[in-house]
Amino acid sequence: MGTRSTIMDTNSFRPEHAAELDHATRKLTDKRNKILGESYRLFYRNPVHLVKGQGQYLWDAAGHQYLDVYNNVASIGHCHPAVIEAVNEQMKMLNTHTRYLHENILDYTEELLQTTPDEIDRAMYMCTGSEANDLAIRIAREYSGGTGIIVSQEAYHGTSSLTSGCSPALGTEQPLDDTTRLVPAPDYYRIQTDDLGEWFAQQIQQQIDDMNAKGIKFAGFLADSIFSSDGVMPNPVGFLQKAVDVVHANGGIFIADEVQPGFARTGDSFWGFGRHNVVPDIITTGKPMGNGVPVSGLLAKSEVLAAFSDKIPYFNTFGGNPVSMAAAQAVLKVIQEEELQTHSKYVGGLLLKELTKLMDKHEVVGDVRGAGLFIGFELVKDRITKEPNKALALNLIEELRNTHRVLTSVAGPYGNVLKLRPPLAFQTKDIDWLVGALDQALTKLK
């Protein structure tokens, strides 16, 4: 087996863990192994059997309550009543597709485009982030006339043929496209430079030059603006601008994959790219858009989209259906009415401050960084050498799950960064639970 997938295998149940499970859990894992494909992975050495969710909390089959510090799928909170009501009411009336007229898709699009830069004035809808990024790559190639796509070293952009070929985080057994090029992540913690933006722009230019040398025309740069799979890279604010300038100077487009940093997550802006004061050519989104209802979107500059849409029809049976649009409308309304962007910035700031205090107590905490309710908590063996401590990170998330009932996972090429990304329902009262759990678990494990 080649290098394991950093997003699928670093925090996963493996067959060798089965002997330690209780009878009921073992029965379920055995059944999964028998009837589901081998590609599936479960979180944790002792998988969690969840049966209920509410807000930022989850409950397992035994009635134990957990603090969810990982899920951006239920972005505004598990089982949010506004989404449940909107979906239920629409389901009672109609659910078809976009080849019939319906108000929901038009009303939602007008509202969503008000959150984007003025240059972004068109929208299309799908069901998953993978589909959105797949279409974005197709559009980039039509617009530029090229095929070359640049992504970061540990990027994850989807599971379709096109997107998996641009997702190195899936592991070496998943080959990258011949036209895909990788740039190192803009890791301010590890890269010694006075200007990270200039350094990152140079990395992109080098890969464009390599493409040119091999007869590959550059099409675009596809990036998650907080580089979550690379280990959460939010700073310094504004560093993406020079990279986007290089992309445009070379005839390509910038695709902002906002599946993880979008929809008020980072606090500073509704969209993650907004923190860097850049205007993408295409925005893609997915999971947080429908709070668990499958819906995704692609927003674009009309002149960029026209290169594709003026000659190639596009249809997605379930994309943009009235029920999904009702869910998306409810999510957007909750974000705005409950001021969740402001909430994310405020509560995330308090959480970041408390997490940073753990550095004074635990030498193994090398860095704490984040924006809003999206924080990377990096563990090292030595602060001077910054040698990653993957073993501790994996043991830590197991201890958090088993003893403190806090759910999270790891990210980054070394598997040593805890990705703390709770639903936006996370409150100040939850900070003590999370930080206390981390403190006690680190004290026990180090």
Side-chain angles (χ1 to χ4, degrees):
M1 182 178 179
T3 302
R4 288 183 174 184
S5 163
T6 55
I7 61 167
M8 293 293 287
D9 291 307
T10 44
N11 172 24
S12 64
F13 170 75
R14 309 298 295 177
E16 58 265 29
H17 303 142
E20 304 299 320
L21 302 180
D22 63 75
H23 176 72
T25 304
R26 178 67 182 269
K27 185 177 180 181
L28 286 175
T29 59
D30 286 350
K31 189 172 185 179
R32 278 177 60 103
N33 290 341
K34 184 177 180 180
I35 64 176
L36 297 182
E38 294 299 321
S39 292
Y40 285 110
R41 301 289 188 273
L42 285 161
F43 278 132
Y44 300 109
R45 297 164 195 163
N46 179 14
V48 187
H49 178 191
L50 297 173
V51 297
K52 178 185 173 183
Q54 186 64 54
Q56 65 275 43
Y57 306 121
L58 293 162
W59 285 263
D60 67 16
H64 299 127
Q65 183 179 350
Y66 294 80
L67 177 63
D68 186 356
V69 192
Y70 186 70
N71 280 294
N72 75 324
V73 179
S75 59
I76 59 173
H78 295 280
C79 300
H80 197 290
V83 179
I84 293 171
E85 181 181 7
V87 168
N88 185 46
E89 289 302 310
Q90 185 58 51
M91 281 290 288
K92 289 191 295 185
M93 291 187 289
L94 175 73
N95 195 28
T96 53
H97 50 71
T98 55
R99 296 193 71 180
Y100 298 110
L101 289 172
H102 199 274
E103 292 86 357
N104 278 11
I105 191 171
L106 302 177
D107 293 344
Y108 177 68
T109 299
E110 286 183 332
E111 294 166 8
L112 186 62
L113 288 175
Q114 290 177 14
T115 70
T116 67
D118 291 342
E119 296 91 333
I120 303 291
D121 58 357
R122 294 289 188 276
M124 298 178 71
Y125 296 100
M126 309 85 209
C127 305
T128 69
S130 296
E131 290 178 315
N133 283 329
D134 187 291
L135 181 58
I137 293 169
R138 293 175 65 189
I139 294 168
R141 289 174 170 172
E142 289 295 328
Y143 178 79
S144 66
T147 57
I149 301 293
I150 295 175
V151 297
S152 59
Q153 199 89 42
E154 206 60 34
Y156 170 68
H157 294 295
T159 57
S160 70
S161 181
L162 280 182
T163 57
S164 61
C166 295
S167 295
L170 290 173
T172 54
E173 292 300 301
Q174 167 60 57
L176 297 178
D177 287 346
D178 292 339
T179 54
T180 297
R181 292 295 183 275
L182 308 182
V183 289
D187 188 346
Y188 193 65
Y189 175 57
R190 296 178 180 278
I191 296 167
Q192 303 301 311
T193 177
D194 293 330
D195 189 337
L196 187 68
E198 181 63 31
W199 176 88
F200 193 53
Q202 290 174 2
Q203 305 304 310
I204 290 177
Q205 185 63 61
Q206 287 174 17
Q207 293 307 315
I208 295 173
D209 292 344
D210 179 72
M211 287 181 182
N212 290 335
K214 292 178 171 61
I216 299 170
K217 184 173 173 56
F218 174 55
F221 171 48
L222 171 59
D224 154 8
S225 57
I226 203 165
F227 297 88
S228 51
S229 295
D230 291 284
V232 187
M233 311 291 173
N235 297 315
V237 172
F239 79 83
L240 264 183
Q241 182 63 65
K242 291 182 179 179
V244 174
D245 290 344
V246 164
V247 167
H248 288 154
N250 285 272
I253 68 169
F254 171 45
I255 304 166
D257 180 342
E258 291 288 314
V259 171
Q260 298 200 54
F263 284 83
R265 166 65 53 183
T266 61
D268 294 322
S269 171
F270 187 89
W271 301 102
F273 63 78
R275 300 180 64 248
H276 297 291
N277 198 31
V278 297
V279 178
D281 300 287
I282 294 176
I283 303 166
T284 58
T285 187
K287 290 187 280 274
M289 188 174 174
N291 211 56
V293 174
V295 58
S296 67
L298 179 149
L299 312 175
K301 296 177 179 177
S302 54
E303 66 270 21
V304 172
L305 185 59
F308 177 90
S309 61
D310 282 1
K311 58 183 178 181
I312 302 175
Y314 180 84
F315 176 61
N316 184 310
T317 301
F318 296 110
N321 72 74
V323 170
S324 291
M325 290 294 95
Q329 281 182 301
V331 169
L332 185 57
K333 184 177 181 180
V334 167
I335 289 174
Q336 293 169 340
E337 291 187 351
E338 297 184 10
E339 299 182 337
L340 291 184
Q341 182 180 322
T342 300
H343 171 83
S344 182
K345 183 178 179 67
Y346 174 70
V347 178
L350 293 178
L351 176 58
L352 186 67
K353 183 178 179 180
E354 293 302 312
L355 290 170
T356 303
K357 290 179 182 178
L358 293 180
M359 295 180 69
D360 296 331
K361 188 172 181 180
H362 303 283
E363 283 289 322
V364 292
V365 182
D367 191 38
V368 183
R369 53 187 179 263
L373 285 170
F374 206 142
I375 295 173
F377 189 81
E378 180 153 0
L379 298 170
V380 296
K381 294 181 179 179
D382 183 283
R383 281 191 182 174
I384 296 175
T385 65
K386 301 180 181 178
E387 181 182 354
N389 200 335
K390 178 179 179 178
L392 177 60
L394 294 179
N395 287 332
L396 179 58
I397 57 177
E398 298 290 340
E399 178 68 14
L400 290 172
R401 173 257 184 272
N402 292 323
T403 303
H404 303 281
R405 300 202 175 98
V406 171
L407 303 180
T408 191
S409 191
V410 294
Y414 314 110
N416 69 314
V417 180
L418 270 64
K419 183 161 68 171
L420 307 177
R421 184 194 54 184
L424 299 182
F426 187 91
Q427 302 293 327
T428 54
K429 65 181 181 180
D430 300 310
I431 293 176
D432 285 346
W433 185 349
L434 172 57
V435 176
L438 282 165
D439 186 16
Q440 293 174 48
L442 285 169
T443 298
K444 177 180 177 179
L445 292 173
K446 68 181 182 181

